[in-house]
Amino acid sequence: MSELAVLNQLEAKEETKTYIIFNVGRGTYGIDVASVNTIIQMPKITRVPNAPINYKGVINLRGDIVPVMSLPGRLDAREDVMSDETRIIILDLEDLGLVGVTVDEVKEVLNISDKELYDSTPFEKEDSTLVKGVAKRGDDLISILDIKALINK
Amino acid sequence: MDLREIMVNENDEENSSALIAGIGEELFAIPLSSILTIEDVAVSEICTVGGEDVIHLRGSVISLVYLGKLFESVEGENKNNITVVVCDYNGSCFGLVVETLYGQKEINKQSLGVLDDVNFFSGATILDEEKIAMILNMESFVA
């Protein structure tokens, strides 16, 4: 009985989350699937004049207006390169509503435990970085993004 | 000047009618309740006061706001006439210069979410054929 209690305690400290893994430029990134509303192919984007940099505009998502940010712009400071693989990941930010982010390619869904996550950098303070942690899978490094920091409001 | 006036229903404040105007390929919605009149103005009649373009309208001087320049839109060719939507916000008048008029539509204002603090726009609306029009915030032109 006591062994069971110890095991439960260990499990409670270590969480495994499911992440949507995608590419932006040459980087591989992950976002917690709990925040993902849907993933769509590129629709027509209506420009919003005077929007902050990196916001491409808004789209019509089944009758709802959803703003869209460019991740190649936000993460790599470069223009989106449209291909057949380009997607928009619609994120649910709760009180901030829905926000779409453009990515070059959605690769897969992975379960990553908190144990596997390394701090992205020992130099920056936690709240000033977009990357919550880095996981290693094979030869790939996956940067787990902090969505609130990404949208930065 | 060619004069076209729109009858404004004072009760229609909430979420209802707007004039849809276009600049290049982009569409904008101007709340009907803010519109005084629409004028077709010859370019030769535009005057300059204090570095700004204005027009004379029935004894008043109306400042012009070139939406195409303000929003950095891709505009069509320069013509001899401009279309001015004369608006009123809290007693201040100004003229919005647009390219094309698409008429009056019932609109359903939606918030822009994280972009809801962008200057000049109070929201967006989906028109027929899935096109999106940005709804102009009249207050932002009276700074």
Side-chain angles (χ1 to χ4, degrees):
Chain A
M1 260 327 215
S2 60
E3 289 132 25
L4 204 62
V6 169
L7 206 61
N8 282 341
Q9 196 178 8
L10 278 176
E11 279 179 26
K13 284 196 179 140
E14 163 198 320
E15 257 187 74
T16 296
K17 295 204 186 92
T18 309
Y19 297 92
I20 302 275
I21 311 298
F22 56 91
N23 287 338
V24 172
R26 280 181 301 182
T28 304
Y29 302 88
I31 280 184
D32 192 336
V33 88
S35 305
V36 176
N37 177 292
T38 182
I39 301 176
I40 58 174
Q41 292 188 328
M42 286 297 291
K44 181 162 191 305
I45 299 183
T46 301
R47 187 181 75 103
V48 173
N50 293 318
I53 198 166
N54 292 326
Y55 277 95
K56 298 173 71 73
V58 290
I59 60 171
N60 174 359
L61 183 69
R62 290 188 296 272
D64 289 328
I65 302 268
V66 177
V68 174
M69 174 197 273
S70 160
L71 276 194
R74 183 81 170 88
L75 301 175
D76 271 357
R78 55 166 109 161
E79 293 286 320
D80 286 37
V81 176
M82 295 301 162
S83 79
D84 287 340
E85 311 306 323
T86 309
R87 296 287 184 272
I88 296 186
I89 301 180
I90 307 288
L91 303 170
D92 189 338
L93 298 177
E94 289 156 31
D95 20 324
L96 294 177
L98 298 177
V99 173
V101 291
T102 57
V103 302
D104 292 336
E105 185 187 1
V106 175
K107 286 179 64 177
E108 58 188 330
V109 176
L110 289 178
N111 291 321
I112 302 177
S113 90
D114 285 355
K115 264 192 339 182
E116 288 182 72
L117 293 182
Y118 295 93
D119 285 333
S120 55
T121 165
F123 301 113
E124 284 184 49
K125 277 192 281 214
E126 236 176 66
D127 51 351
S128 67
T129 178
L130 298 175
V131 179
K132 280 201 284 205
V134 179
K136 203 169 186 311
R137 281 296 162 94
D139 287 334
D140 286 334
L141 286 180
I142 303 172
S143 305
I144 304 300
L145 295 175
D146 181 344
I147 293 170
K148 290 275 161 69
L150 206 59
I151 308 299
N152 196 27
K153 270 216 157 177
Chain B
M1 284 191 288
D2 193 14
L3 197 71
R4 280 164 285 173
E5 275 180 310
I6 289 182
M7 295 303 293
V8 175
N9 182 354
E10 293 282 357
N11 298 327
D12 265 9
E13 283 289 350
E14 299 295 298
N15 216 27
S16 37
S17 289
L19 172 71
I20 308 299
I23 298 165
E25 300 278 313
E26 304 187 311
L27 298 172
F28 301 95
I30 305 170
L32 218 53
S33 52
S34 301
I35 300 177
L36 290 178
T37 176
I38 302 177
E39 305 284 326
D40 207 23
V41 178
V43 167
S44 52
E45 293 187 43
I46 302 174
C47 310
T48 312
V49 173
E52 281 181 28
D53 282 4
V54 300
I55 55 172
H56 289 292
L57 186 62
R58 293 194 284 281
S60 299
V61 173
I62 312 283
S63 319
L64 295 181
V65 178
Y66 293 92
L67 292 184
K69 293 210 175 72
L70 188 63
F71 300 149
E72 293 174 9
S73 305
V74 176
E75 299 181 82
E77 286 174 18
N78 282 333
K79 297 186 178 156
N80 296 325
N81 279 36
I82 57 168
T83 306
V84 183
V85 180
V86 183
C87 302
D88 172 284
Y89 180 79
N90 265 2
S92 297
C93 292
F94 49 94
L96 300 175
V97 181
V98 302
E99 254 176 34
T100 321
L101 295 174
Y102 294 100
Q104 179 182 337
K105 293 250 163 71
E106 287 292 311
I107 60 165
N108 179 17
K109 176 155 81 176
Q110 290 196 45
S111 157
L112 294 171
V114 294
L115 292 178
D116 65 2
D117 53 1
V118 170
N119 209 7
F120 300 116
F121 304 111
S122 62
T125 181
I126 298 178
L127 305 173
D128 306 328
E129 300 148 25
E130 313 261 303
K131 293 199 185 133
I132 298 177
M134 302 301 303
I135 304 173
L136 297 184
N137 177 0
M138 293 290 104
E139 189 180 354
S140 54
F141 295 101
V142 182

